[in-house]
Amino acid sequence: MSSQPIAAKPVVLRPRAHRRKLENRERILSEARRLFGRHGFAGVTTAEIAEAADVAKGSVFAQVGSKERLLVLVFQRDMNKWLDDAAARAGRGALLDQLERFFDAMLDGAADAPELTAVFMRELPYAHREPEVVAAMNRTYALLMDLVEAAKARGEITNSVDSTTLAHNLFSLYFNFQYIWLAQDMPPRAAVEPNLRERLAAQIGVLLRKRGRSD
């Protein structure tokens, strides 16, 4: 008699069941986003999210997992929306102008749900190794690196700068500005001192390629 374990049969969902599962997942994520933004991460329970989404508590664990995983998935969705807008708005022109438009688009996303953005900033450093967080940040750096590489190709900044390092530095400047701006209840961005453009200009100013000088 064979001692090989019997493989479990894969669960095949019928179209209606599959659609219902996707609808439940969407409601869970939407309600988690709303409740995290309203009450903070610690102020919401998984049971409350399940009740708001009109699903059983066990469905939350089956569909998503822990409350921490819920926050990660909400962040991934929001961050990708911000990055879609940022990539579209960066456009053409000088690197400084592109970066300002790129980060302004992300700040517009943060302004749509400032309380939720504050939750992301407080909680997600503890989840920095989660695959969705890693993927979102890698996409951010890749988009910034594309802008940097294009500026190099135009001869706008020196080729000697490491694009990966610069992308990380630029995002750090943005993140710090976002933190201060949110803490000040989102005043006009130009009123924050130094404003975002000034911070970015200080970073890339030393990298401008001088005429008549080779790298």
Side-chain angles (χ1 to χ4, degrees), residues 4-166:
Q4 292 293 328
I6 299 174
K9 293 182 179 180
V11 177
V12 179
L13 293 177
R14 297 186 178 185
R16 182 178 296 178
H18 181 64
R19 184 170 62 251
R20 185 167 59 250
K21 181 177 180 180
L22 292 178
E23 290 171 351
N24 287 348
R25 179 184 174 88
E26 180 62 29
R27 285 204 308 276
I28 290 168
L29 291 176
S30 295
E31 290 302 324
R33 184 181 189 276
R34 181 180 67 84
L35 292 173
F36 287 149
R38 178 174 295 182
H39 302 295
F41 181 74
V44 180
T45 67
T46 306
E48 289 169 335
I49 294 170
E51 182 179 0
D54 195 25
V55 299
K57 183 178 177 181
S59 294
V60 175
F61 292 103
Q63 293 267 7
V64 180
S66 66
K67 190 172 75 167
E68 289 76 14
R69 286 290 301 157
L70 264 173
L71 183 64
V72 166
L73 294 175
V74 170
F75 166 77
Q76 181 189 37
R77 291 204 314 178
D78 276 32
M79 188 67 167
N80 279 325
K81 290 178 182 176
W82 297 2
L83 291 173
D84 288 343
D85 290 341
R89 283 171 54 178
R92 299 172 181 264
L95 178 60
L96 179 58
D97 294 332
Q98 290 180 306
L99 291 171
E100 185 176 30
R101 291 192 295 266
F102 182 96
F103 288 127
D104 266 341
M106 294 187 66
L107 289 170
D108 287 345
D112 285 341
E115 294 84 2
L116 181 63
T117 302
V119 171
F120 291 156
M121 296 176 74
R122 285 195 303 268
E123 303 293 339
L124 287 173
Y126 300 103
H128 67 280
R129 293 185 179 178
E130 290 289 331
E132 294 83 1
V133 175
V134 171
M137 293 312 304
N138 284 345
R139 185 185 176 201
T140 304
Y141 297 136
L143 290 171
L144 291 172
M145 288 167 61
D146 286 344
L147 296 179
V148 170
E149 289 294 323
K152 287 182 181 181
R154 294 192 300 268
E156 186 180 344
I157 62 174
T158 174
N159 286 319
S160 61
V161 65
D162 181 75
S163 297
T164 301
T165 301
L166 181 54

